[in-house]
Amino acid sequence: MTPSQDATPLPLQPPQYSATADSSIILLKQRPSPATTLDSLPYRRSNPSLSTLFASTASLSGSHPGSGTATPTTSVVPGSVFSPGSRQNGTQSPGGLPLGLSDKYRNLIQRAFAPHVAVLADADTEALLRGKGLEGGFLQLLRPFGESVTGKVTIRDSVGASRSWDDFGVRFVGVADGLGLPTVPGRSPELRIDTANGQRDGGRPSSSSTRPRTRTGGNVPQIEELVERHLRFSEESQHHGMANDYLDHRDIGPQGESSSSPFYTLYLRRLLSGLPIVPHETFAHPVACVIAVSSRNPDPTEELRRLYARQHDGDLRLPQWVENEYLRYYVLVHEEETGDIAKSNQMFEKMKRHFGLHCHLLRLKSQQCIPSDDDSVALPACEWISAGEEIDEIRKHETADDITNPTPYLPDSDVTAIRTFVRELVAQSVVPNMERMVATWNEQVLARRRGLSGRFMSLSKRWTPFGSSRNSSSPTVGSSNSNYDSLQGFYRPDAPEAQMRKLADYCFMLRDWKLALSTYDILRTDFNNDKAWRYYAGAAEMAALSALMSTAPMSSKTRTENIDSWIEAASYSYTDRQRSAAPYYALRTLALGLELLRLRGSSAADDAALWASRILETNLVGDVGHALFTERVSACYAARTGIGSMKLGSRKRKAAMWSVMAAENWLKLNKALQAEKCLDRALMLYDVNTENGEGVVKLPMQQMQAFINEIRQQILALRLANRGYHDGEDEGTEVEQSLMVEEATETLDKSPRGNRKSLIGAAAPPIDVGPLSPMLERREGEEKKDDQFE
Amino acid sequence: MSYHFTILGPLDNPLFTHEFGTSRSGGDGVSRFTTAERALNPFILHSALDIVEEVQWGPSTSSGSAPMYLKHIDKYQNNFISCWITGGNVKFLLLTRPRDEALGLTSGGGQRGSLAGGRGALGGQGVYNPTSPATEEAVKNFFVDVYEGWVKTIMNPFYAVGNGDVVKSPVFRARVAQAAKKYL
């Protein structure tokens, strides 16, 4: 076998191989064809910026301080100073977590649901930033800084208690980002205009048409593709001896931190990135809009007014089910080199008189900064980009050579200025404003609904059809007294239901789980009565999540009675009800539910495993997701520890079985590394269970042992295949080698991609001759003896 | 409908394995596991031991004596597992894999299920239900017959369960096959 399998060329990848002699020596012996030299090259090795990209994302995803397992060896980006991994040990660790579980996923979830802030800048600002090398304009500049606000952010909840969070963040989005789901009623796709691209007219039609779409998440196949790329990269870098400890978990424990693969974390993170704007939940609806004008502009006031008008009711207006009266924040971008600071200050004073607190003077340098400059800092990588965006990014890095690293650099003073700006925006405008809205709605809407009259109103609403038209002759009768527009499928933003949903979502984003839970619970019944199924599913989902997010202890009775039924109802209503199929949301419900349940300790682990296997059964995920979630079922069962000396009620055997199945799944996907990890974990679980721990693990049943041996062998074959027999560490593989060579020569004249396909099959022949192969060094002689058992 | 029957000793070691299909309703008594399913069966049975032990040592649901027949205890995808536990901590595990029609996976298909999960259990919807009385009764009868044979087998002074000896007696195998043919 040759190294050609490692360097499987990607689609859309221009051939850019350069001959390196050392790796192709072996293969020239085996199949002397010019084609081999072409596709045999580990082109990725020559591209450090790409590996940095993979490694940095992986280090983000696997980030847990002190674990040290996910440190990339590749050249560290200067931006890693801002790597959010260092902030994960925040104040919010809930007490009483069972041993071996970390609240990594709870942190992930609470950071995922962050307020969205739309960004709109005028043409001059965009031109200024493009001059600085930021193609994405003002939005690209702000985005990474919004994800992590420096310092602590103090939030007062509904009862007036303050709490500080140091991992609070906001998402900066384009004005019309996130309008992507095809099921959104009454929207035409051309309304998805990016702020940056919308202004520089049709000069680059391709970018303006693709960009906004990729910034919207919620696309499961894209997530799969992305994770697949990361996996492939890790396999290849492993076999090339590059980045040896890239995600290398040698210390596999039966449970605990190491049992969650960084790829699963990546999967979840991308699942929660770029939430689409939809009617039934308001997380992605903007809570504020930053409107920026440049000081270059001759008449900034007029420009601000124009931008506001465009955004409030002009061409950038969001659909009518989005509340339009959100906070506007005005920014004057001052250019240090060319601008006149006195004039800018004067202008800013005027703005302050007009808009009060909600404005800012941002001073930026206008010339482009290069890495070799003094105190230049790379723009930090965005952590919460959607899968599509990250794929684009990877493609960009793959095609770029290592000299022109596309990461833009900024002067240090700019970075400080932006940090200050974001901090001010969040701590002084966005959060207080949200708190105020929550208080207002709480008083005006929720209290009324909760009070006696509110209950009576909802009751009478429910019973009105009973009095007026008993047999509901016309379909409009039922909906006439409800606020739900069943034809278009949404509530108007001023309807009490919509406001309550917004209230609950704000509470959730401000991490006031208690009020969120009670509001969602009321909404659930209201939506149910209105037969607004999508809304109902959303409310049930978030009710379950906010109940699980709160750190208060929960009896197993409430858990089984409420939360399970809510998750059940949400996943059912998201997928099965009439025509409103939203598998993405069902997957989100189940995945988050299972993670949070798993944190609840051993009694909830069974439920967690149940939801995980529900994901598998309902086919909500693709191949990669299937393998990842199979692994996750195993982790859920492993989280359940038994009681007493006999470990009664533990689920070791089940965990082990699911691990074996995960190994099998990975093997089918040609991921030797992952498969081996799962298999090792399975054997460890079995070992603990059978308690004959010294020496080789022997399973109680021969068929099981045989099955595992076979998988082990297939993994070995696959690894050897991937490695191309570099090291010769395995003695006597002639049998297979001849087989492989035969197989390879058959496919010589095919395209590289076809070649790879065929090699997937090629791993099979050595498996069939498995027992004859001398590669059975792992099998004990005594086992061979009783191979013929029965 | 395919079955996989295994007797597991106290140390989780298999003592006896028998695989068969239904003989009811025109079945030919041959199991219809695919190769992949067959490879997984031992894993599924083994993992069911977690649940068996929990039921075995957990608080008793019935007052008085603990039952030997634990009924349907576990499920993995479409495989249903029933258990019978003897006084010597030997577990009889029966894995049932209904045909796809009986699970409602494929539309149509005649009602050709066996008695266990057959006519009675299929009920109106035609979906296999492991906890229906007819199914439980059929499996119980099967277990009772096997248990009778088992007791006679372990009375053999040359056979020691504790050593993890595999049951080689052709008589016992014949009895299991007979019981399977009769009830399942």
Side-chain angles (χ1 to χ4, degrees), chain A residues 640 651 653-654 661 686 700, chain B residues 12 14 50 54 74 76:
Chain A
R640 179 166 172 140
R651 296 277 185 272
R653 299 177 181 108
K654 278 197 179 288
M661 309 224 317
Y686 275 130
Chain B
D12 297 357
D50 273 338
E54 190 172 298
D74 196 16
Y76 169 75

Side-chain angles (χ1 to χ4, degrees), chain A residues 371-418:
Chain A
S372 55
D373 279 356
D374 282 350
D375 59 305
S376 72
V377 180
L379 188 72
C382 270
E383 204 185 335
W384 296 94
I385 50 178
S386 72
E389 235 179 317
E390 196 180 347
I391 292 175
D392 278 359
E393 189 81 353
I394 290 171
R395 281 199 190 126
K396 206 166 82 189
H397 279 257
E398 270 170 1
T399 45
D401 47 7
D402 43 341
I403 300 160
T404 60
N405 190 343
T407 315
Y409 280 76
L410 299 173
D412 201 22
S413 61
D414 279 7
V415 173
T416 321
I418 296 166

Side-chain angles (χ1 to χ4, degrees), chain A residues 640 648-654 657-658 660-661 686 689 700-701 703-704 707-708 789-790, chain B residues 8 12-14 17 39-40 42-44 46-47 49-51 53-54 57 74 76 166 173:
Chain A
R640 179 166 172 140
L648 282 180
S650 81
R651 296 277 185 272
K652 285 252 163 64
R653 299 177 181 108
K654 278 197 179 288
M657 176 184 77
W658 284 94
V660 171
M661 309 224 317
Y686 275 130
N689 193 33
M701 295 199 206
Q703 296 102 312
M704 290 164 74
F707 187 77
I708 285 186
F789 167 65
E790 280 195 328
Chain B
L8 288 163
D12 297 357
N13 47 336
T17 305
L40 268 185
F43 285 94
I44 297 167
H46 186 257
S47 71
L49 285 175
D50 273 338
I51 314 287
E53 280 184 0
E54 190 172 298
W57 300 110
D74 196 16
Y76 169 75
V166 169
R173 187 169 292 275

Side-chain angles (χ1 to χ4, degrees), chain A residues 63-67 83-94 102-104 107 110-111 152 164-167:
Chain A
S63 59
H64 201 71
S67 71
S83 164
S86 56
R87 286 179 303 96
Q88 299 246 335
N89 46 357
T91 54
Q92 62 280 0
S93 124
S102 85
D103 54 348
K104 181 167 90 176
N107 290 346
Q110 75 184 13
R111 295 185 58 215
K152 293 194 174 190
S164 296
W165 303 90
D166 57 2
D167 62 348

